[in-house]
Amino acid sequence: MALLVQKFGGTSVGTVDRIEAVADKVKAFREAGHDLVIVVSAMSGETNRLISLAKEIMEEPTPREFDVLLSTGEQVTIALLCMALIKRGVEARSYTGAQVRIVTDSVFNKARIQSIDDCNMRADLQAGRVVVVAGFQGVDEQGNITTLGRGGSDTTAVALAAALKADECQIYTDVDGVYTTDPRVVDTARRLDKITFEEMIEMASLGSKVLQIRSVEFAGKYNVPLRVLSSFQEGPGTLITLEDENVMEQPVVSGIAFNRDEAKLTIAGVPDTPGVALRILQPISEANIEVDMIVQNVSADNRTDFTFTVHRNDYRRALDVLQNVAKDVAALEVKSDNKIAKVSIVGVGMRSHAGVATKMFKALSQEGINIQMISTSEIKISVVIDEKYLELAVRALHSAFELHKPEDNH
Ligand code: ADP
Ligand code: ASP
Ligand code: MG
């Protein structure tokens, strides 16, 4: 008997039939004697539908009102799931984020959880009820509804598990675990029995949307046992774990992540003087645009090229800002490309192995794929390439690092 927080994603609650199937599953866990807090997402497609409605009215929806709108999707599924449970004789009670009192900061659309009041949930659990909580939402100190960013129900689940000191946080989704890469892109992708928090944080931040990055950070910080499982089939799923003592036994590369959401901007022929990077990037950050990769070339004739990437949604704005900067710093030219993609290999084993980058570059060059930018950290190597080669690159790397083979064969 355990206290479990279980989260069911959009596809898992995408129709009334699927909600009924989740209710059957929850009932079985309850009958096995577990205490349960269930977090649900909106029905699949619903959050996107709400976003398009807002955008029909205004291109940049007012952040506060946007969150009032977006949070409604999850309110529908908590009520429907509770009804399905009650129909089955399982006592259950639904809560919006505000009703629990999941308090966040006031950064609408990407709020961060600051505190969780566990009183109502504990009282319900004590009384033998299943608690059903709306994912992705909270409330700020002033009582405004906030949302936690796309995929934010994962973070709600982990945060509740941390607050309640749950025995495990289980993320039920439409795949049966975390794979070596997105199984929808590479059909030989293999489910991992476990992956370290560190690797999962990198995978999530480099584009693997199977878990929202904040949820993994939270789980790592508060030591929440976290598991990804399928809503539709039985199986052990993938456990997100602390790093194994014996690093030499870790596979060199555990997974491949990719991201189509970036755009690249270059300001060329910038006079190479102290403070120039600041003069370029400060206006970008003042426009609230996040920069990902940055490369400054070695200068020639006292001029240098400066390239960086931003989220594709910020591409137009970043280009406008950069064109103004170019005039200010007397640069020769601004170039840009929003048809790029970033591919990354991730693995804690890289720390203790040499030659990983060479193997990556060789695999890409054999396919004739040109690398436009490179960035590395201790446990990942990322490259920017032409978007049209993305799937080819992921497949080539998956096979070069033999990720289709079971781990002990590496
Ligand atoms: P949910 O609606 O349940 O939150 P998501 O769509 O957010 O589900 O996340 C699950 C999806 O993540 C899968 O359908 C899969 O296509 C994608 N995905 C991307 N990278 C991976 C990976 N490395 N392992 C498993 N799934 C991945
Ligand atoms: N419904 C929200 C989204 O689609 C949150 C979530 O599903 O985790 O992003
Ligand atoms: Mg998700």
Side-chain angles (χ1 to χ4, degrees):
M1 289 198 312
L3 169 55
L4 302 175
V5 174
Q6 301 182 321
K7 177 253 169 178
F8 293 88
T11 316
S12 314
V13 294
T15 61
V16 167
D17 283 350
R18 288 195 167 164
I19 291 175
E20 301 254 21
V22 169
D24 285 335
K25 214 173 164 87
V26 172
K27 182 177 183 207
F29 274 101
R30 187 73 198 112
E31 284 172 350
H34 300 302
D35 284 334
L36 300 169
V37 173
I38 310 296
V39 174
V40 281
S41 292
M43 294 167 96
S44 55
E46 178 62 7
T47 308
N48 288 343
R49 187 184 74 88
L50 295 168
I51 292 172
S52 348
L53 286 179
K55 295 212 163 173
E56 275 182 44
I57 295 181
M58 58 203 303
E59 191 38 45
E60 298 260 336
T62 316
R64 181 184 183 281
E65 305 317 320
F66 205 21
D67 277 357
V68 172
L69 176 72
L70 294 190
S71 65
T72 61
E74 274 73 10
Q75 190 167 336
V76 170
T77 45
I78 52 171
L80 292 176
L81 178 59
C82 277
M83 289 174 198
L85 287 168
I86 292 164
K87 184 172 87 175
R88 285 164 174 75
V90 178
E91 281 195 63
R93 194 175 264 180
S94 67
Y95 289 90
T96 63
Q99 286 175 313
V100 172
R101 271 195 75 73
I102 298 179
V103 178
T104 69
D105 60 20
S106 304
V107 185
F108 296 112
N109 310 156
K110 46 179 176 191
R112 285 174 170 254
I113 296 176
Q114 291 180 330
S115 66
I116 292 177
D117 181 347
D118 63 359
C119 281
N120 287 331
M121 292 186 290
R122 290 221 186 263
D124 278 325
L125 292 173
Q126 198 72 44
R129 291 188 199 104
V130 172
V131 176
V132 180
V133 179
F136 175 58
Q137 54 179 267
V139 64
D140 72 2
E141 288 291 355
Q142 289 72 44
N144 299 299
I145 294 174
T146 54
T147 65
L148 310 179
R150 296 309 302 268
S153 300
D154 298 333
T155 302
T156 305
V158 175
L160 291 179
L164 293 163
K165 302 197 171 48
D167 294 291
E168 192 164 279
C169 180
Q170 303 179 332
I171 306 289
Y172 287 90
T173 183
D174 55 7
V175 280
D176 64 347
V178 177
Y179 276 66
T180 46
T181 192
D182 190 338
R184 293 182 208 290
V185 169
V186 179
D187 54 14
T188 55
R190 186 174 46 81
R191 183 182 58 80
L192 299 163
D193 288 326
K194 52 186 188 167
I195 181 167
T196 67
F197 280 110
E198 232 186 324
E199 288 168 321
M200 195 62 236
I201 287 175
E202 289 285 7
M203 291 282 282
S205 70
L206 295 167
S208 296
K209 292 187 178 117
V210 59
L211 285 174
Q212 195 197 35
I213 175 170
R214 300 268 352 267
S215 72
V216 194
E217 287 169 354
F218 231 100
K221 185 163 168 198
Y222 295 99
N223 227 336
V224 177
L226 179 61
R227 194 184 289 275
V228 177
L229 303 129
S230 164
S231 293
F232 308 112
Q233 67 192 76
E234 294 294 315
T238 300
L239 186 65
I240 325 294
T241 61
L242 295 172
E243 190 166 330
D244 257 335
E245 300 275 289
N246 192 347
V247 178
M248 287 310 284
E249 279 180 12
Q250 298 278 341
V252 180
V253 173
S254 295
I256 300 172
F258 53 87
N259 182 351
R260 292 186 177 87
D261 298 335
E262 294 202 24
K264 184 178 80 166
L265 298 116
T266 300
I267 177 164
V270 184
D272 195 8
T273 51
V276 83
L278 178 70
R279 284 176 71 192
I280 295 170
L281 290 182
Q282 186 160 307
I284 297 280
S285 91
E286 279 166 0
N288 245 326
I289 298 171
E290 267 179 51
V291 170
D292 180 21
M293 289 162 91
I294 305 175
V295 173
Q296 183 180 340
N297 286 356
V298 176
S299 63
D301 306 329
N302 281 331
R303 285 188 181 266
T304 182
D305 295 348
F306 197 91
T307 302
F308 58 94
T309 62
V310 297
H311 194 284
R312 224 177 263 189
N313 291 344
D314 293 326
Y315 171 63
R316 284 270 141 224
R317 282 195 311 128
L319 193 53
D320 288 346
V321 174
L322 199 61
Q323 258 142 3
N324 286 329
V325 171
K327 282 183 213 132
D328 279 1
V329 299
L332 299 179
E333 192 187 0
V334 170
K335 294 183 270 191
S336 63
D337 183 357
N338 66 354
K339 298 256 177 325
I340 57 156
K342 184 167 76 174
V343 187
S344 312
I345 56 176
V346 174
V348 287
M350 273 185 217
R351 287 200 183 110
S352 50
H353 287 81
V356 185
T358 317
K359 193 164 178 178
M360 179 183 199
F361 302 156
K362 185 172 170 200
L364 295 173
S365 98
Q366 278 170 344
E367 297 295 340
I369 301 171
N370 187 38
I371 298 172
Q372 303 178 10
M373 291 171 89
I374 302 170
S375 94
T376 63
S377 79
E378 223 189 350
I379 66 160
K380 72 117 205 274
I381 304 170
S382 301
V383 296
V384 166
I385 58 171
D386 188 327
E387 186 186 21
K388 69 175 182 253
Y389 298 123
L390 175 61
E391 299 202 351
L392 177 63
V394 176
R395 271 189 238 111
L397 293 171
H398 199 269
S399 116
F401 287 97
E402 302 190 325
L403 294 183
H404 54 285
K405 291 191 185 160
E407 269 154 52
D408 16 305
N409 285 0
H410 278 199

